[in-house]
Amino acid sequence: MTVQPISTDDPTHPIQTNPFGKSRQSLTSNHPISSCRPCSHIQAPKVVQKMGVCMSSEEKAQRARTLSIDRQLANDGERFKRDSKILLLGSGESGKSTIVKQMKIIHLNGYSTEELIGFRSSIWHNLVDSVKNIVDAMQKLQMEFADPANKATAEKFREMYRLRKMDLDGSTFPRDVADMIHNIWNDKIMETMIKRTSEFYLLDSAPYFLSSLERIRARDYVPNVQDVLRARVKTTGITDTRFAMGQLHIHMFDVGGQRSERKKWIHCFEAVTSIIFCVALSEYDQVLLEDSSQNRMGESLVLFESVINSRWFYRSSIILFLNKVDIFREKLPRIPLENYFPDYAGGPDINKAAKYILYKFTLLNRAKLKIYPHLTCATDTSNIRLVFAAVKDTILQNALKASGIL
C-alpha cells in the first residue's frame, strides 16, 4: 500500500519535525564517538625520553588511567548505540500488539506452523464475538433481517453464546455455529449494519474474518500471517520482545491499552529511550469497549496528553504512529470527520484529515518534546518495514541522548 507523505514544510505549521515518510539523516557520519576530541581539562600523558631513561612509575600509572577511560568511553558509546528500550503506548485496539507481531515477522524469522495454529482459537472467538455484537446491535437499533428465517437463527445463536455451548477451543470450528454465522452474515441487512458501526462496538477485523468464513471453518484450517496480524488478543499486563535491527538491539515493551491496564505502565518507564505512541485514525467515530459513552479518539487525546507531558519522558522524543490509515481512507468519504470534530473543514481529503488529527495531538505538547509522526498500516508488513527504516535513526539518536553522549 502506498501512503502519500504529509508535508509539514510550512514554517507556520505547529510541527517542525520529521514529516510523514521523510527519512532523516543518518547519524553514522556524525557519530559522537568517532568525532569526539579529548576533554580540554585532561592532558594526555607526555612520554619523556631522556638519554634512554624510561617513564616514571607515576607517568605509567597516569597513562594507564587515561587509556582505561578512553576504552570505557568507547565501550559505553557502542553499548548505548546498540541497545534501546522502547515502550509501545496507546489506547486499546490502536495497533500496538500488531506492531509487535510485525517485528517478529520482519526481524525474528516469522511464525512457525505450530505458532500459527496457536492463533486459531483466538480467530474463532473473534468471529463469534463479532456476530454476537452485530445481532445485539440489531436488537438495540431495531433493525430487522431481510430474511425472516435469520431472526430465529440469530436468537438461537445468542442463546448458545449465553449458555457457552460453543466449543471454540477444539481442533475444528463447530459446524452448526459456522452454518448460523454464514446465514446471518449473508443476510442483506449486514451491509447496513457495517455502515452503522459508529453506533456500536465492532472489531475492525470483523468484516475480514466473516468474509473468510469458508476458509476458516475448514477442518484443516491453519491461520495465515494476515489472519494472525488481524487477530485480536487483548494484551494484559506487560509483554516484552527482543530483536536486532541492524546494529541496534531493541527491547520493546507492549502494554495493555484498556483503562484497567494502564496502572501497570509505570514499571516500564525507567530508562526508556523511545516512546512509540499508537493512534488509530479510524477510531474518530467509535466508542470504547469498556465505556460506550466515550469516543475513542477523545480517549487517545487524553492519554497522549498525560504521556507527553509526564516527567518520566522529559528527555524522550515521541514517535507517533497514526495507524489504520487503510480503514481511515475507506471510512472518511462516508462518515465525515466534521461530524465528530466540528472545526475540521478539509472534507474527505485523507491528507488534510490526517494532518488535522496530527495537529490536535501536537496542541497537547506543553513539554515541547520533539514528535516524529508516521502514517502507518500495522497489518501491512511492507509499510511497517519502510516506516521502521526511518524510525531506526530516531531510536539511535534517543539512545545516545539518554546515555548523555549527545
Side-chain angles (χ1 to χ4, degrees):
M1 181 190 71
T2 302
V3 178
Q4 295 295 327
I6 296 182
S7 173
T8 54
D9 293 337
D10 183 357
T12 63
H13 195 276
I15 290 301
Q16 298 298 327
T17 59
N18 177 38
F20 294 103
K22 186 178 289 185
S23 61
R24 284 188 297 283
Q25 183 180 359
S26 172
L27 300 180
T28 305
S29 60
N30 296 316
H31 195 287
I33 295 301
S34 62
S35 60
C36 65
R37 296 189 297 272
C39 298
S40 58
H41 65 283
I42 300 178
Q43 296 184 356
K46 297 180 180 179
V47 179
V48 181
Q49 294 184 346
K50 295 181 180 180
M51 299 179 64
V53 179
C54 296
M55 291 185 293
S56 68
S57 58
E58 182 180 348
E59 288 173 327
K60 288 180 179 179
Q62 184 180 2
R63 179 177 176 82
R65 285 194 299 270
T66 301
L67 290 174
S68 177
I69 291 171
D70 288 343
R71 283 194 298 269
Q72 185 63 46
L73 284 172
N75 290 337
D76 287 348
E78 287 302 311
R79 178 165 59 85
F80 284 115
K81 176 182 176 181
R82 292 193 306 268
D83 296 345
S84 184
K85 186 177 180 181
I86 301 174
L87 187 58
L88 277 170
L89 297 180
S91 58
E93 298 188 50
S94 58
K96 302 182 301 299
S97 297
T98 309
I99 295 296
V100 174
K101 293 175 186 176
Q102 290 284 21
M103 295 303 98
K104 179 173 176 60
I105 293 169
I106 296 171
H107 298 291
L108 295 173
N109 300 318
Y111 290 91
S112 66
T113 301
E114 290 74 21
E115 288 173 323
L116 291 173
I117 291 174
F119 281 91
R120 191 164 53 190
S121 178
S122 296
I123 292 168
W124 291 343
H125 278 279
N126 287 171
L127 256 177
V128 168
D129 290 343
S130 295
V131 175
K132 172 63 163 52
N133 289 337
I134 289 173
V135 296
D136 283 350
M138 287 185 64
Q139 187 176 61
K140 178 181 178 182
L141 299 173
Q142 299 182 336
M143 304 291 290
E144 296 292 338
F145 284 98
D147 182 353
N150 286 331
K151 181 177 181 179
T153 301
E155 287 301 321
K156 180 180 179 181
F157 180 91
R158 294 178 67 189
E159 184 67 9
M160 288 182 66
Y161 187 97
R162 185 181 69 83
L163 297 175
R164 301 181 182 274
K165 288 187 175 181
M166 301 177 182
D167 180 14
L168 302 179
D169 297 314
S171 59
T172 58
F173 193 70
R175 180 178 297 182
D176 57 341
V177 176
D179 289 341
M180 286 187 289
I181 291 176
H182 173 83
N183 292 336
I184 293 170
W185 176 243
N186 283 281
D187 193 279
K188 292 181 180 179
I189 195 62
M190 288 301 113
E191 184 177 348
T192 301
M193 292 303 298
I194 293 301
K195 290 180 180 179
R196 298 185 66 174
T197 52
S198 59
E199 300 176 61
F200 65 98
Y201 172 81
L202 186 66
L203 195 67
D204 285 331
S205 57
Y208 169 83
F209 286 132
L210 287 164
S211 298
S212 304
L213 175 63
E214 294 309 308
R215 177 174 61 86
I216 293 173
R217 69 181 291 179
R219 294 183 63 86
D220 58 350
Y221 170 61
V222 175
N224 58 37
V225 170
Q226 193 60 213
D227 294 344
V228 169
L229 289 172
R230 293 177 180 269
R232 167 64 177 161
V233 181
K234 180 181 175 181
T235 302
T236 57
I238 301 167
T239 61
D240 64 290
T241 305
R242 296 175 185 265
F243 59 92
M245 194 163 61
Q247 291 186 337
L248 281 173
H249 295 169
I250 306 296
H251 194 182
M252 180 177 284
F253 291 87
D254 177 23
V255 298
Q258 281 72 25
R259 289 174 173 176
S260 60
E261 296 295 320
R262 293 174 194 166
K263 61 185 178 181
K264 303 172 185 177
W265 292 2
I266 195 72
H267 304 294
C268 286
F269 285 171
E270 186 178 1
V272 169
T273 53
S274 297
I275 304 295
I276 295 179
F277 192 96
C278 294
V279 179
L281 286 171
S282 59
E283 67 185 6
Y284 67 91
D285 69 324
Q286 295 175 301
V287 295
L288 294 178
L289 172 62
E290 61 266 45
D291 182 0
S292 60
S293 66
Q294 176 62 49
N295 177 271
R296 283 203 214 175
M297 184 66 74
E299 180 82 356
S300 290
L301 286 164
V302 170
L303 178 58
F304 182 77
E305 182 177 22
S306 67
V307 168
I308 199 167
N309 298 305
S310 169
R311 63 186 179 88
W312 295 98
F313 305 133
Y314 73 97
R315 295 188 63 182
S316 302
S317 293
I318 306 294
I319 301 167
L320 181 61
F321 279 6
L322 298 177
N323 193 32
K324 301 190 179 182
V325 66
D326 54 332
I327 303 174
F328 186 56
R329 178 183 283 109
E330 181 274 329
K331 179 184 287 188
L332 195 60
R334 59 183 178 84
I335 304 178
L337 181 61
E338 51 266 36
N339 288 359
Y340 301 88
F341 294 91
D343 57 333
Y344 172 70
D349 186 299
I350 185 172
N351 286 325
K352 291 180 180 178
K355 186 179 289 188
Y356 168 83
I357 292 175
L358 171 62
Y359 172 72
K360 297 289 286 185
F361 277 87
T362 57
L363 282 178
L364 305 173
N365 183 17
R366 297 188 304 275
K368 306 301 180 184
L369 299 183
K370 200 167 186 180
I371 300 175
Y372 299 92
H374 297 272
L375 282 174
T376 59
C377 174
T379 57
D380 184 341
T381 302
S382 60
N383 171 253
I384 296 302
R385 192 189 305 271
L386 184 64
V387 168
F388 263 83
V391 165
K392 180 180 176 181
D393 284 344
T394 302
I395 295 171
L396 174 58
Q397 186 179 35
N398 291 345
L400 292 170
K401 187 182 298 184
S403 71
I405 294 175
L406 286 184

